[in-house]
Amino acid sequence: MKAVIIGTTTLAIAAGLGFYTWNTSRSAVPCGDTAVAGAAIGGPFELVSETGATVTDTDVITKPTLVYFGYTFCPDVCPLDSARNAAAAYLLADQGHDIGTIFISIDPERDTAQIVGDYTDNFHEDMIGLTGTAAQVDAASKAYRTYYRKQEGDPEYYLVDHSTQTYLMFPETGFATFFKREHTPEQIAQTTACFIDRIG
Amino acid sequence: MKLTTLLTTAALTFAATGAWAESEINVMHATAFETAPTAMAGGGFLHIHNTGDSDDVLVDVRADYPRVEIHTTEFTDGVAKMMHVAGIPVPAGEMVVLEPGGYHVMFMGLQGTPFTLGDMIPATLVFEQAGEIDIMFKVIARDAAHGGMDHDSMDHDAMDHDDANHSDMNH
Ligand SMILES: [Cu+2]
């Protein structure tokens, strides 16, 4: 069983060099089945919040947080994954664990602060929607090693290819693990609770 | 004008396709998820059952939005790529499901006309053989409590709460 994560921002490089793979049978796996020890994922970013204010990672990751990169023009996969993350947060809340959820737009051209704010409210009243300048979004995406690429074509109705991992981040210790699309709310809640117990 | 009575829809449908259509297409569970007020796009999902004995293809969907296309999403190493497809084959005797994470009807240019819970969105499906079929997409809630990944429960939701099923079309 292998898990794959995209490590670069161009398809050519991603295809050739950028995949980080590891074997989950390693004994170092602490919680769940997709953990990777010592991965340099995450770190500082500066983005724009739903109110239009500039925020940094320490402003928005104040508790264990699920971080997802997507775009609001996507009516299918992004809402599905966001609703799944919200569902995991609700499950964890039922168990007494307070976690955050963040949606970072990789389509800053169309996704204004208000649009990401409205979009995230659809899934969870506390989900934080972030956008920014093209440079800010690109830097955040690189920090998290996510991939996105705007498709050629229509200036108004273009589509964007993008990574679909959800990252579990902690305020002090940073990256804990990531989840794939196939993970259920229950699996995410269980693994997250395990990390909360370990990391605190 | 977004609302059309089912009666009118059925009548139009009957008139539009007539007796020469050879495939028999049944459309069920036509649903769309509610969107945020400022949403630019929305997705439509449905089940298409070809009960006839000739293959058919869904080649177009028309609705009163600036752009409406048939899309699919492909996944490669965790990267989602949404793309326009020319048609969805509906082989004789088979059921094709347009569901989240795969085929969907992509409604684009919603700005100012979000999908609101309970809305019925009129659309016309265009099949190669069966011709035009008018349907209604019922706007349903995206219930986070049920999770986003459970296709089974999603289908049950659509089935249980979906009045649009009454508009199932038979040709
Ligand atoms: Cu689409």
Side-chain angles (χ1 to χ4, degrees):
Chain A
M1 183 53 200
K2 266 192 183 169
V4 176
I5 196 169
I6 304 290
T8 71
T9 51
T10 71
L11 187 59
I13 300 172
L17 313 163
F19 295 115
Y20 290 72
T21 62
W22 57 92
N23 200 319
T24 52
S25 64
R26 273 196 202 156
S27 57
V29 176
C31 296
D33 64 351
T34 56
V36 54
I41 290 174
F45 60 69
E46 189 179 273
L47 291 164
V48 173
S49 80
E50 300 171 18
T51 62
T54 298
V55 292
T56 66
D57 52 301
T58 54
D59 295 326
V60 290
I61 303 176
T62 57
K63 49 191 173 185
T65 299
L66 297 171
V67 179
Y68 182 83
F69 291 76
Y71 67 121
T72 75
F73 196 75
C74 156
D76 181 27
V77 169
C78 302
L80 203 57
D81 296 348
S82 298
R84 187 268 319 257
N85 290 348
Y90 284 124
L91 281 174
L92 284 158
D94 288 345
Q95 299 162 19
H97 294 302
D98 182 23
I99 71 152
T101 49
I102 293 180
F103 177 94
I104 300 177
S105 172
I106 43 72
D107 182 17
E109 209 177 307
R110 284 182 301 199
D111 283 343
T112 62
Q114 192 195 340
I115 287 174
V116 290
D118 284 353
Y119 184 81
T120 49
D121 286 350
N122 231 359
F123 306 111
H124 193 296
E125 62 269 25
D126 295 330
M127 188 179 286
I128 297 172
L130 300 175
T131 183
T133 64
Q136 286 172 325
V137 164
D138 201 55
S141 170
K142 280 200 172 79
Y144 279 77
R145 301 186 179 183
T146 70
Y147 168 81
Y148 68 100
R149 191 182 61 167
K150 181 177 159 180
Q151 291 184 22
E152 298 291 318
D154 197 286
E156 195 176 354
Y157 303 126
Y158 61 87
L159 306 173
V160 186
D161 308 341
H162 64 98
S163 304
T164 54
Q165 298 89 5
T166 290
Y167 299 93
L168 174 60
M169 307 300 292
F170 282 74
E172 301 292 326
T173 54
F175 174 80
T177 190
F178 75 94
F179 302 102
K180 293 185 282 185
R181 303 203 62 245
E182 292 75 15
H183 285 101
T184 64
E186 290 76 17
Q187 288 170 326
I188 292 177
Q190 191 182 2
T191 302
T192 301
C194 169
F195 274 104
I196 290 171
D197 289 342
R198 287 179 62 101
I199 298 172
Chain B
M1 188 62 206
K2 290 243 181 294
L3 293 177
T4 313
T5 67
L6 291 179
L7 198 62
T8 310
T9 305
L12 285 172
T13 301
F14 185 74
T17 56
W20 60 83
E22 291 182 9
S23 77
E24 292 181 14
I25 298 292
N26 289 280
V27 175
M28 290 154 287
H29 314 313
T31 53
F33 290 108
E34 62 179 329
T35 69
T38 48
M40 298 174 278
F45 305 93
L46 65 155
H47 295 195
I48 304 168
H49 194 188
N50 183 348
T51 54
D53 45 19
S54 69
D55 296 345
D56 209 338
V57 183
L58 174 67
V59 290
D60 197 11
V61 179
R62 299 183 198 129
D64 192 15
Y65 293 97
R67 183 170 305 184
V68 181
E69 291 177 354
I70 305 167
H71 281 191
T72 191
T73 304
E74 286 185 359
F75 299 93
T76 310
D77 295 322
V79 173
K81 183 185 178 69
M82 189 161 51
M83 61 191 84
H84 182 198
V85 294
I88 300 177
V90 188
E94 287 190 24
M95 169 90 89
V96 172
V97 177
L98 281 70
E99 64 181 350
Y103 285 126
H104 56 276
V105 178
M106 179 94 166
F107 300 95
M108 291 175 272
L110 262 56
Q111 284 92 331
T113 56
F115 291 173
T116 309
L117 196 58
D119 275 1
M120 302 293 280
I121 300 160
T124 302
L125 307 182
V126 184
F127 290 89
E128 218 168 60
Q129 304 297 323
E132 298 185 2
I133 300 178
D134 290 338
I135 63 161
M136 292 281 191
F137 286 92
K138 180 170 186 174
V139 178
I140 60 172
R142 193 181 284 284
D143 187 353
H146 287 171
M149 302 301 289
D150 190 344
H151 289 180
D152 285 334
S153 74
M154 196 167 291
D155 286 347
H156 290 309
D157 281 349
M159 233 174 279
D160 293 341
H161 311 296
D162 188 6
D163 296 327
N165 292 340
H166 297 307
S167 68
D168 288 359
M169 303 296 170
N170 204 330
H171 292 263

